[in-house]
Amino acid sequence: SSPIVSGDKVFVTCYSGYGMKPPTNDDDPAKLVRHLLAFDRASGRQLWEVKVPSAEKEDPFAGFIMQHGYASSTPTTDGKRVYAFFGKSGLFAFDMDGNELWRRSLGTKSDPARWGGGASPVLYKNLVLVNAGVVGNQLVAVDSASGEIAWSIEDGAFTNCWTTPAIINTENGEQAIFAVPGKMIAVEPLTGTKVWEAATQIDDATCGSIVHREGIAYLMGSREGHGLAVRCDGKGDVSDSSTIWSKQIRSGICTPVIVGESLYWTTGGMFMAARVEDGEYAYRVRLPRKGKASGGFMAADYSSPVAQGNRILLFTRFGESYVIEAGDEFEVVGQNPGFPDDETPFNATPAISDGEIFVRSDKRLYCIAED
């Protein structure tokens, strides 16, 4: 998962017991344990750790799971409770001292390819919204205080979807928007009542999450590479009436970031910018490397870019980092070759908080700041 920051604490998830590298012949999925850890923000000292043993038959450690593991969903917090989605073991709530408050199973299924979980929970008022398509073929809202299901939309077609829902403020009120293969779905977040849906050409798997600006939702993904922009002010099937643009566009696993009038993202060692207005590329360039060469599974796909002002921060899977000035021309204003004593993957999106950058690898959690 990516790190999150709340007050004087930093939270991350990880796992142990199974799915370690390199695999061994006596690996047993029943030994899988997921962990939620809290660290002191100032010193990095571990404050507490919660261990959650696997409750169900886990997907085997093979294929894409070997690239991201069994604790890929980023936790979230309202400052009173921390919520962690641990796949087939369920959605959990803990207090700020690590005491379990409740747990709720959201399903024990697998996606057809057995790629594991990745969607993260988000908060809306008193609800925790989860895309549980992979484990439960459902989009669900859980009461944050009690753990009871507030509403659920179930559909057997809701699988192969690892996108985190987005909360969008529109002229017609707030909406929760989910992306599943072949469509975007907007619901009234308190009730789950469907507001609109729009067909997409991203019909094999949805990985990167929806981003939005000024009542317009943007999504990209699929093996073929597609992107689209949809106005969020419609009702019913808005595939034709509200789709602003839909076109083939190179994309991967990460979620793009919007800065100014452009979307920025990375895939396959490339960094790209496209105008929000029409989806046309501003540029496509190969990232300059000071560390290892890019390409294949180890390309800079998993970590998503984030922005601070007009500058974009990006980490590759090798820990190499870039600060890129947003604009119509590609401009690197800062580059770091990585962490010499850390060869493990940097899959997590960094968190920026009060002038500090928090980023984690499979091995360590880092805080980066000026002296």
Side-chain angles (χ1 to χ4, degrees):
S1 68
S2 301
I4 64 168
V5 184
S6 178
D8 59 359
K9 295 183 176 68
V10 184
F11 301 97
V12 297
T13 66
C14 61
Y15 70 95
S16 64
Y18 175 70
M20 314 304 289
K21 293 183 179 180
T24 62
N25 292 331
D26 60 350
D27 283 351
D28 182 357
K31 296 179 181 178
L32 179 70
V33 177
R34 294 180 175 91
H35 307 251
L36 174 67
L37 300 97
F39 296 89
D40 178 73
R41 173 180 181 148
S43 66
R45 178 176 59 89
Q46 183 175 313
L47 301 175
W48 50 260
E49 175 184 13
V50 172
K51 298 180 180 181
V52 178
S54 175
E56 297 291 335
K57 182 179 180 181
E58 298 289 346
D59 297 320
F61 189 59
F64 270 107
I65 285 188
M66 297 180 72
Q67 304 302 318
H68 67 92
Y70 295 92
S72 301
S73 300
T74 296
T76 188
T77 180
D78 52 17
K80 298 183 296 183
R81 293 177 284 266
V82 184
Y83 309 90
F85 183 31
F86 286 144
K88 296 180 182 184
S89 292
L91 177 68
F92 290 75
F94 304 93
D95 67 20
M96 301 303 279
D97 294 318
N99 299 302
E100 183 179 324
L101 301 175
W102 53 258
R103 65 176 69 187
R104 173 64 55 183
S105 174
L106 299 181
T108 58
K109 299 179 181 179
S110 300
D111 64 281
R114 295 183 173 271
W115 287 349
S120 301
V122 298
L123 291 167
Y124 178 79
K125 296 185 177 178
N126 66 319
L127 298 178
V128 187
L129 308 184
V130 185
N131 175 355
V134 168
V135 298
N137 300 145
Q138 62 175 329
L139 314 175
V140 62
V142 178
D143 184 273
S144 60
S146 67
E148 297 299 319
I149 300 291
W151 57 259
S152 174
I153 303 172
E154 299 182 21
D155 189 320
F158 293 170
T159 189
N160 281 3
C161 48
W162 295 270
T163 57
T164 296
I167 304 296
I168 299 182
N169 190 22
T170 75
E171 294 179 357
N172 299 323
E174 291 179 305
Q175 300 173 1
I177 304 185
F178 298 81
V180 298
K183 67 176 67 175
M184 294 169 61
I185 301 171
V187 304
E188 200 286 318
L190 286 179
T191 64
T193 302
K194 187 182 294 184
V195 180
W196 58 263
E197 67 176 50
T200 79
Q201 292 181 292
I202 306 170
D203 55 6
D204 48 5
T206 55
C207 297
S209 297
I210 297 167
V211 293
H212 57 92
R213 193 190 71 156
E214 297 176 355
I216 300 174
Y218 303 86
L219 179 68
M220 57 179 62
S222 90
R223 294 182 183 88
E224 299 297 324
H226 291 283
L228 74 160
V230 179
R231 288 191 305 273
C232 303
D233 56 0
K235 299 284 186 180
D237 187 342
V238 301
S239 303
D240 296 325
S241 59
S242 294
T243 299
I244 300 171
W245 54 261
S246 177
K247 60 183 56 181
Q248 193 163 6
I249 192 168
R250 182 173 178 177
S251 56
I253 295 172
C254 84
T255 297
V257 64
I258 299 175
V259 184
E261 299 302 315
S262 294
L263 293 151
Y264 299 88
W265 73 101
T266 183
T267 184
M270 302 288 291
F271 190 80
M272 284 155 280
R275 295 193 298 266
V276 295
E277 178 185 15
D278 54 16
E280 292 295 322
Y281 287 112
Y283 60 75
R284 291 176 287 175
V285 300
R286 183 159 294 280
L287 289 165
R289 306 309 298 255
K290 291 183 178 180
K292 298 180 180 179
S294 63
F297 284 148
M298 293 302 292
D301 282 335
Y302 279 70
S303 176
S304 298
V306 295
Q308 181 76 25
N310 203 52
R311 290 186 167 177
I312 300 162
L313 174 64
L314 172 70
F315 276 81
T316 75
R317 294 193 75 191
F318 297 113
E320 191 165 6
S321 57
Y322 302 82
V323 178
I324 300 165
E325 188 77 20
D328 291 337
E329 302 290 334
F330 178 69
E331 181 185 1
V332 175
V333 296
Q335 184 177 357
N336 190 295
F339 301 82
D341 60 344
D342 192 344
E343 296 292 328
T344 60
F346 284 71
N347 284 335
T349 298
I352 302 175
S353 176
D354 295 333
E356 296 176 327
I357 300 168
F358 297 87
V359 65
R360 57 85 57 92
S361 67
D362 280 6
K363 180 180 181 180
R364 291 177 177 166
L365 173 67
Y366 300 88
C367 176
I368 303 169
E370 289 185 337
D371 290 335

